[in-house]
Amino acid sequence: MTSTTATGTTTGTPIAPAPEAAEVELLIGGMTCASCAARVEKKLNRMDGVSATVNYATEKAKVSYPAGIQVADLIATVEKTGYTAEEPAPPEPETPPRDDDPELASLRERLTVSAVLALPVVLLSMIPALQFDNWQWLALTLAAPVVVWGGLPFHRAAFTNARHGAATMDTLVSVGTLAAFGWSLWALFWGDAGMAGMHDEFRLTVSRTDGASTIYLEVAAGVVALILLGRYLEARSKRRAGAALRALMQLGAKDVAVLRDGREVRLPVTELAVGDRFVVRPGEKIATDGTVVEGVSAVNASMLTGESVPVDVAPGDTVTGATVNAGGRLVVEASRVGSDTQLARMARLVEDAQNGKAEVQRLADRISGVFVPVVLLIAVATFGVWLAVTGDVAAAFTAAVAVLIIACPCALGLATPTALMVGTGRGAQLGILIKGPEVLESTRRVDTVVLDKTGTITTGRMTLQEVYVAEGTDERELLRLAGALEHASEHPVARALAAGAEERVGPLPSAEHFENVPGRGVRGRVEGREVAVGRLFDELPEELARARSEAESGGRTAVVVGWDGAARGVLAVADAVKETSAEAVRELRALGLTPMLLTGDNRAVAETVAAAVGIAPGDVIAEVLPEDKVAVVRRLQAEGRTVAMVGDGVNDAAALATADLGLAMGTGTDAAIEASDLTLVRGDLRVAADAIRLSRRTLTTIKGNLVWAFGYNVAALPLAAAGMLNPMIAGAAMAFSSVFVVSNSLRLRTFR
């Protein structure tokens, strides 16, 4: 067990009190709803000098504690509250992350078995035509394992909460199902319900001694199966909470060729030290942040900086770990390693954003703090009043059970997952992935949408945009000669020129005597002519100089082409704007959102792209680093805006996690997708507007379902307490409530 102090020192077991405030992250186990997280947070914050934030979604607690308090004290406090706590195990770089989740698999198994057993019980109980002789004993046989084994998580949580004087939705599920099951057992073994030929009859009101011949097995089994469904869907979405960090850290190189006494020695990247020199060959990832000491090349840093054009580097230039060497051989001297690298800092940004306290807590969990105890008191009061007035224990207990069953949160368990299932299913058809119900609340309040440029508004690929030729020069000849020479180069701009030329003029001739001039361009012989491409001409004709200036002022990369010592033309390449981006911006405005462009590219490129899609110059923020993107999002939030962020690169991951709503292009990196709330599978920016509209519609449906579920409970509770609803009616009303919720959710299938 270790802890890290504010000064950065690390201590081992046993943990000595830190001289200053220290921070620790704890994994919290046993939480089943947001109110559990609130209880743990409240208990920790009651300790002197302790400041804690507990995140239910990530099941983590971030705790700051003073000298004199040890981590063991914090863990003991959590355990006294009825939950478990431990420090995260140190990462093991050689061990790949597990794809399976034993807890999720166990919940899936419990749900599957419970659903298979509960369905026949519900059908037998609710359809009299299916009730053969002694059907009730078959129903008991099927329902018993559902209530006892399937509902064990609810019973265990209810027992733990009761020991600590608390009540949650687990309490109501457990008490309601056990009461229904317990009464059914009494009616079967000691009442008249176990007799052959018994049939459930439909009565509107509670009558004396009716309870001895009535069973509620379908309520007990059905509620357990349906609530398990909601818990499973919730757990499945929560499991992905840490995937963004794994995706970030997996970007880095795993091993590195370090120079030792003039020889290359292959070592794990974890053994790299500051000052070590290592070799990076073309196509390899740069192992860590450092300075180039030998070689020239082009480095593709788009994953980290958002720059669409690879950056030329030479001795003395700095490079960043996880970027890709796209050109020649480099020797780099390591300047930062391990947790000090830019990649590691980005990982910490994502982690901090994910562990922040969520603003929106689940409505059902917020209300349960009052709703559950009130229902239990009403049930007890109903039993007492009926017993005092009628003197009939069976009638009193029947009315009390009706109160519990009518209040059982069956519809509450369906309200969110059914709307989410239908909404996400329809979203998948439209190229939208919604990760969970927690993100939907933000879509209603969003007023600003921040758009990344590379790969989001643009294609993310360099393409030949324009061709300028000098007077007397044939355009096809210019493209053939330039394309042939650039075809021999591996530079990304050269590949874009070669591909564009081949597309326009067909097959290209071959080049001879190819020579790469570091930092300036390439030259060689093509069809007997000495061809040069790049910045190899000191003087240009006025028309070509003007063309190059216009191209560069428009944010494009201009390349001069010439042969036999004279410049003949200028080729302009750029990251092309997607055809659908302008329409997407118009749709976002129609939703009442203000689109903004946020990019690591230079301002000329950014403003050109913004003008092409209809974003105002004042809403363009350019030349920003990954850390700056997070700062921009936070600044907008501090101004009172609710911010949605759309991006696709690793450099967007932290900003996506920080924004109120993160939307990742599905064509982007895993880190961006995992850090986001919504994923746009098709990579079409127009889908961002569809995603927000669908999310708002789904949220409206969920809220409508919850209003109905609570409203029906509130309206029906007095009727049940007054004896105007027997438990069978209560069960039917509960079933109708569930049918209504499902039907309301199915309306999302018509979303266009």
Side-chain angles (χ1 to χ4, degrees), residues 185-529:
L185 288 178
W186 181 85
L188 285 169
F189 287 98
W190 291 279
D192 301 329
M195 299 174 60
M198 173 266 185
H199 290 276
D200 260 348
E201 295 183 10
F202 194 80
R203 296 188 181 92
L204 293 176
T205 60
V206 175
S207 56
R208 294 169 68 92
T209 69
D210 276 352
S213 60
T214 305
I215 58 176
Y216 317 111
L217 295 173
E218 78 286 357
V219 173
V223 167
V224 168
L226 290 167
I227 303 301
L228 280 174
L229 173 63
R231 289 287 168 84
Y232 171 72
L233 294 173
E234 178 182 327
R236 190 173 62 175
S237 64
K238 280 168 56 181
R239 188 202 177 281
R240 303 175 67 89
L245 294 177
R246 293 196 298 271
L248 272 177
M249 298 315 297
Q250 287 172 359
L251 278 175
K254 301 299 183 291
D255 52 26
V256 57
V258 181
L259 291 176
R260 293 276 194 265
D261 299 325
R263 295 185 303 107
E264 294 184 22
V265 180
R266 209 77 188 175
L267 297 174
V269 73
T270 53
E271 297 183 17
L272 196 61
V274 173
D276 281 345
R277 294 190 174 188
F278 57 93
V279 176
V280 188
R281 291 183 172 80
E284 288 185 339
K285 291 180 180 179
I286 297 174
T288 192
D289 299 354
T291 304
V292 177
V293 293
E294 289 182 27
V296 291
S297 182
V299 173
N300 183 353
S302 61
M303 293 182 298
L304 296 176
T305 67
E307 281 285 352
S308 55
V309 180
V311 179
D312 292 322
V313 295
D317 293 333
T318 59
V319 290
T320 305
T323 56
V324 178
N325 178 15
R329 177 181 182 272
L330 294 175
V331 176
V332 180
E333 182 176 307
S335 59
R336 288 197 296 251
V337 297
S339 61
D340 293 331
T341 64
Q342 184 173 345
L343 181 65
R345 292 200 304 271
M346 289 175 62
R348 287 196 295 273
L349 283 173
V350 176
E351 185 174 26
D352 289 343
Q354 287 189 339
N355 287 338
K357 185 67 176 178
E359 292 183 10
V360 181
Q361 301 294 346
R362 301 214 174 194
L363 182 59
D365 289 320
R366 288 203 303 266
I367 296 179
S368 67
V370 176
F371 182 67
V372 176
V374 167
V375 169
L376 294 175
L377 288 174
I378 291 175
V380 172
T382 299
F383 178 82
V385 170
W386 271 82
L387 185 62
V389 172
T390 66
D392 190 323
V393 176
F397 196 75
T398 301
V401 169
V403 169
L404 286 173
I405 292 175
I406 201 72
C408 253
C410 183
L412 288 177
L414 285 170
T416 295
T418 55
L420 189 64
M421 279 193 298
V422 179
T424 52
R426 181 57 183 151
Q429 294 175 337
L430 301 173
I432 303 163
L433 294 181
I434 303 173
K435 287 194 174 177
E438 302 90 351
V439 309
L440 301 177
E441 181 71 27
S442 297
T443 64
R444 180 178 58 85
R445 304 193 311 269
V446 165
D447 51 38
T448 302
V449 56
V450 177
L451 305 174
D452 172 54
K453 182 186 75 68
T454 305
T456 301
I457 293 179
T458 66
T459 62
R461 300 186 305 274
M462 300 297 291
T463 57
L464 178 60
Q465 298 285 304
E466 295 171 340
V467 180
Y468 305 91
V469 294
E471 186 176 353
T473 302
D474 180 67
E475 181 177 318
R476 289 181 59 83
E477 184 180 23
L478 180 82
L479 288 171
R480 287 183 76 253
L481 297 178
L485 190 61
E486 292 286 51
H487 196 274
S489 174
E490 292 299 319
H491 194 284
V493 171
R495 289 199 297 267
L497 289 174
E502 192 169 23
E503 180 181 343
R504 298 189 186 197
V505 302
L508 303 173
S510 58
E512 300 174 343
H513 308 299
F514 176 84
E515 180 186 357
N516 179 34
V517 183
R520 298 194 65 193
V522 295
R523 57 192 172 199
R525 180 180 291 272
V526 181
E527 295 182 339
R529 295 180 176 180

Side-chain angles (χ1 to χ4, degrees), residues 696-708:
R696 289 176 175 178
R697 176 90 169 268
T698 305
L699 175 66
T700 300
T701 301
I702 289 174
K703 287 190 171 183
N705 288 346
L706 290 172
V707 168
W708 165 262

Side-chain angles (χ1 to χ4, degrees), residues 14-18 47 65-75:
I15 301 171
M47 300 176 68
Y65 59 98
I69 292 182
Q70 299 183 357
V71 174
D73 300 326
L74 303 174
I75 293 176

